[in-house]
């Protein structure tokens, strides 16, 4: 079984990963046949470079990682990403042109655009004036509360817990005696578990031990020390005059959040979003085998004017919970996940249709972040010296390959930390370069590494025969006696 991608440098990822279907058209959705790689001595290729089974098996055998197909596949694909990354730099590609930046930072770009649209909608639809603030303050269903928290831990002795209770009581006494709340808060000692905050809440949100006291306070009122298992609390309800600005801001944030939730929840009807019956099973397959499924056009859901495929889902995998959590999710949870991802893509589509985009300063910041990530991987692979040398392309390719192999061996051996190629940059590199992974060779690597590791273990624990000790030469006195 093999995974292969092939394309040109100019065909960078644009709007979404749907282009994988064309780039990887040699693949079928569920039949990545071993016939694509007839040589099982090579577990992976990347551009003109090869990773032999013997080399990866030796690295894996000397490491402490599990020897199974998933682990070998993961490290083989890390090698692919490193090799494509290093080769591009060796060819003079900075990996920082505008198309690469937009492909590698697509999620950040989409988030910025959605945020800009949401901000504009909030500005046009939400008004929080003094009359609204007065009404909310008087109604009292929402409360702006000041808190002092003295934390306690389960391993504290009764004496230590009592000391903290007394500290809380002393703080309350200062405020109740006319002391400034702001001054008391400013003098809190974080090392003694003391902290403070201001929160905008409803009664239902607070634990009952706090709500029962906090929601009986008049403006300017102060609770006694409230004891809970994890902390001692002092709660104060500030006067309107001193908290108007914070109350207005908190109220606005709450209204904006509600508007955003309502807008997001309206999208399934607005866009006629439907999740297919087979979506949960297809998601589980994609999570388990993302590279094999990356070119699948099987449909997870539909929306007015389009489809959301397995290919589109794979693009989101690096941003989702760990594989184990998704694998354990129910069918209903996976359907909800697919629907929410479609809704997110519809948000981006609507934002672009409304004319929202990225500003130059925001683009430059994203480019700088990518540049820092590229430099980290470049330094980890020790490429600076190589890329500055004057040599033939073939010799440079070989030196780059040696550096990649050396770094991977050091990481597997625990001598260096893994510096990952940024995931979306790695996707772009794989989609615009020739690479291949042989699953027959992956299986062979597993078996060969197991044999090698066992032999190493036996050699390390073998009882060695004692060294033979040559007889001592006869002394002069013995020769004389003879």
């Amino acid at each position: 079984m093999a995974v292969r991608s092939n394309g040109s440098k100019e065909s960078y990822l644009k709007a979404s990963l749907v282009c994988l279907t064309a780039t990887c058209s040699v693949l079928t959705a569920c039949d990545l046949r071993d016939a694509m790689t007839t040589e099982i001595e090579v577990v992976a290729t990347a551009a003109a470079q090869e990773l032999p089974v013997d080399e990866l098996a030796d690295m894996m055998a000397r490491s402490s990682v599990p020897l199974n197909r998933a682990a070998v596949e993961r490290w083989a694909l890390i090698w692919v990403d490193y090799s494509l990354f290093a080769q591009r730099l060796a060819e003079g590609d900075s990996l920082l042109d505008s198309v690469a930046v937009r492909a590698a930072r697509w999620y950040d770009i989409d988030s910025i655009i959605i945020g800009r649209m949401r901000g504009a909608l909030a500005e046009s639809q939400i008004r929080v004036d003094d009359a609204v603030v007065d009404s909310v303050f008087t109604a009292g269903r929402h409360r702006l509360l000041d808190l002092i928290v003295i934390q306690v831990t389960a391993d504290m002795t009764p004496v230590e817990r009592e000391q903290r209770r007394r500290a809380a009581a002393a703080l309350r006494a200062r405020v109740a005696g006319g002391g400034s709340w702001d001054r008391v808060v400013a003098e809190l000692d974080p090392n003694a578990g003391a902290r403070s905050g201001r929160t905008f809440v409803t009664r239902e949100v607070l634990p009952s031990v706090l709500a029962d006291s906090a929601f009986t306070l008049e403006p300017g009122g102060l609770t006694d020390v409230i004891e809970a298992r994890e902390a001692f609390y002092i709660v104060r309800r500030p006067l309107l005059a001193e908290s108007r600005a914070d109350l207005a801001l908190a109220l606005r944030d709450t209204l904006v959040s509600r508007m955003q939730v309502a807008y997001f929840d309206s999208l399934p009807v607005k866009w006629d979003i439907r999740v297919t019956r087979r979506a949960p099973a297809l998601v589980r397959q994609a999570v388990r085998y993302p590279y094999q499924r990356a070119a699948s056009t099987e449909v997870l859901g539909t929306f007015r004017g389009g489809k959301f495929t397995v290919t589109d889902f794979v693009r989101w995998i690096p941003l989702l919970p760990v594989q184990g959590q998704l694998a354990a999710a129910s069918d209903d949870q996976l359907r909800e996940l697919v629907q929410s991802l479609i809704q997110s893509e519809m948000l981006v589509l609507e934002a672009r249709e409304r004319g929202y985009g990225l500003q130059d300063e925001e683009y430059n910041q994203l480019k700088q972040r990518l540049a820092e990530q590229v430099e980290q991987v470049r330094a980890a692979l020790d490429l600076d010296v190589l890329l500055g040398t004057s040599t033939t392309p073939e010799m440079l390719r070989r030196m780059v390959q040696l550096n990649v192999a050396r770094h991977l061996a050091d990481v597997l051996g625990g001598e260096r930390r893994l510096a990952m190629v940024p995931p979306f940059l790695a996707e772009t590199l794989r989609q615009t370069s020739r690479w291949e992974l042989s699953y027959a060779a992956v299986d062979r690597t597993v078996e060969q590494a197991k044999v090698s590791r066992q032999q190493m273990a036996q050699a390390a624990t073998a009882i060695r025969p004692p060294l033979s000790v040559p007889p001592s030469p006869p002394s002069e006195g013995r020769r004389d006696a003879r």
Side-chain angles (χ1 to χ4, degrees):
M1 183 177 292
V3 175
R4 176 178 296 168
S5 176
N6 125 46
S8 65
K9 182 178 176 182
E10 289 75 18
S11 60
Y12 274 121
L13 175 68
K14 294 183 180 178
S16 72
L17 299 186
V18 176
C19 63
L20 273 173
T21 305
T23 306
C24 305
S25 58
V26 294
L27 298 178
T28 62
C30 58
D31 183 23
L32 306 177
R33 294 168 296 177
D34 289 346
M36 297 180 67
T37 301
T38 58
E39 178 58 74
I40 62 171
E41 298 298 328
V42 175
V43 66
T45 61
Q49 302 186 37
E50 295 182 345
L51 177 61
V53 167
D54 291 346
E55 185 175 330
L56 183 57
D58 184 66
M59 292 182 195
M60 300 288 291
R62 296 176 185 277
S63 74
S64 59
V65 302
L67 297 181
N68 53 47
R69 175 186 259 207
V72 171
E73 176 186 355
R74 175 175 183 262
W75 287 99
L77 288 166
I78 289 174
W79 176 90
V80 168
D81 292 343
Y82 276 153
S83 299
L84 295 177
F85 174 90
Q87 197 62 35
R88 281 290 182 86
L89 291 180
E91 294 169 357
D93 189 340
S94 69
L95 300 177
L96 296 174
D97 62 87
S98 62
V99 181
V101 171
R102 290 179 181 276
R105 308 298 301 195
W106 69 267
Y107 180 74
D108 298 303
I109 294 172
D110 286 356
S111 298
I112 290 171
I113 293 173
I114 291 174
R116 182 157 290 125
M117 179 181 72
R118 284 174 165 171
L121 289 174
E123 191 66 29
S124 64
Q125 297 179 16
I126 295 176
R127 292 286 183 270
V128 179
D129 54 22
D130 286 347
V132 173
V133 172
D134 292 344
S135 175
V136 170
F137 187 86
T138 302
R141 184 176 182 277
H142 292 79
R143 290 282 175 91
L144 193 68
L145 299 172
D146 290 331
L147 292 89
I148 291 177
V149 183
I150 308 295
Q151 189 174 8
V152 293
T153 58
D155 59 349
M156 283 184 172
T157 66
V159 172
E160 291 171 328
R161 186 179 178 91
E162 175 61 18
Q163 288 175 341
R164 296 216 165 173
R165 187 197 67 77
R166 290 179 179 177
L171 292 171
R172 185 198 180 278
R174 285 180 58 188
V175 177
S180 165
W181 176 272
D182 291 340
R183 177 171 294 180
V184 170
V185 165
E187 295 173 358
L188 292 177
D189 182 5
N191 294 325
R195 53 190 176 84
S196 65
R198 175 168 282 183
T199 183
F200 184 65
V201 293
T202 61
R203 185 186 187 100
E204 296 77 21
V205 172
L206 285 179
S208 59
V209 67
L210 292 178
D212 291 344
S213 297
F215 272 79
T216 61
L217 291 175
E218 295 296 327
L222 185 72
T223 66
D224 292 329
V225 174
I226 302 171
E227 182 174 355
R229 183 177 61 180
E230 74 286 351
F232 296 101
Y233 297 91
I234 305 166
V235 183
R236 170 180 177 265
R237 184 183 180 189
L239 297 169
L240 177 59
E242 64 180 288
S243 60
R244 178 180 291 278
D246 285 345
L247 181 56
L249 181 60
L251 181 57
R252 177 179 173 79
D253 288 344
T254 300
L255 294 174
V256 168
S257 178
R258 289 180 180 177
M259 183 205 72
Q260 291 175 354
V261 170
Y263 192 97
F264 192 76
D265 289 346
S266 72
L267 294 174
V269 173
K270 183 178 180 180
W271 285 92
D272 191 23
I273 295 174
R274 301 175 186 270
V275 178
T276 63
R277 180 180 57 82
R278 295 188 61 225
L282 294 173
V283 165
R284 290 189 179 96
Q285 292 174 9
V287 170
R288 188 173 182 182
Y289 304 111
Y291 296 99
Q292 296 97 308
R293 308 292 291 162
S296 172
T297 58
E298 291 180 282
V299 178
L300 298 177
T302 62
F303 54 91
R304 180 170 46 79
K307 299 175 181 179
F308 184 81
T309 68
V310 172
T311 294
D312 300 314
F313 174 78
V314 168
R315 181 177 71 151
W316 284 91
I317 288 180
L319 302 168
L320 299 178
V322 294
Q323 181 172 326
Q325 291 177 324
L326 285 177
S330 67
D331 284 2
D332 286 343
Q333 289 173 325
L334 293 180
R335 289 190 187 95
E336 290 176 6
L337 172 62
V338 171
Q339 178 171 300
S340 69
L341 295 181
I342 298 175
Q343 288 172 248
S344 296
E345 298 210 349
M346 295 307 96
L347 275 179
V348 177
L349 182 60
E350 290 194 1
R352 294 187 183 279
E353 288 179 346
R354 292 170 183 260
Y356 297 105
L358 202 63
Q359 297 177 355
D360 289 345
E361 181 180 355
E362 293 166 335
Y363 170 81
N364 290 334
Q365 290 174 350
L366 295 179
K367 181 177 180 179
Q368 180 58 35
R369 289 182 206 169
L370 181 61
E372 292 168 359
Q373 292 176 313
V374 167
E375 182 54 37
Q376 288 173 358
V377 182
R378 180 187 178 115
L381 297 178
D382 298 323
L383 295 178
D384 285 339
V385 175
L386 293 183
L387 300 183
T389 59
S390 176
T391 184
T392 65
E394 176 61 20
M395 181 61 68
L396 181 59
R397 183 189 66 79
R398 292 183 180 181
M399 290 191 296
V400 166
Q401 185 172 3
L402 287 173
N403 271 32
V404 168
R406 185 184 302 115
H407 177 73
L408 204 61
D410 288 346
V411 171
L412 281 165
E415 298 176 18
R416 302 184 73 172
R417 295 183 63 181
L418 179 65
M420 292 289 291
V421 178
F424 300 122
L425 177 60
E427 284 183 0
T428 302
L429 292 171
R430 288 193 297 269
Q431 292 163 29
T432 57
S433 307
R434 296 185 62 86
W435 66 278
E436 187 174 351
L437 179 66
S438 165
Y439 282 88
V442 166
D443 292 337
R444 181 169 180 176
T445 303
V446 172
E447 297 308 314
Q448 191 165 318
K450 286 180 178 178
V451 171
S452 297
R453 183 177 286 182
Q454 185 176 17
Q455 291 174 343
M456 292 175 189
Q458 291 172 346
T461 58
I463 300 176
R464 300 181 183 278
L467 296 175
S468 59
V469 180
S472 301
S475 65
E476 290 295 327
R478 293 172 105 178
R479 275 202 300 265
D480 291 344
R482 208 169 24 189

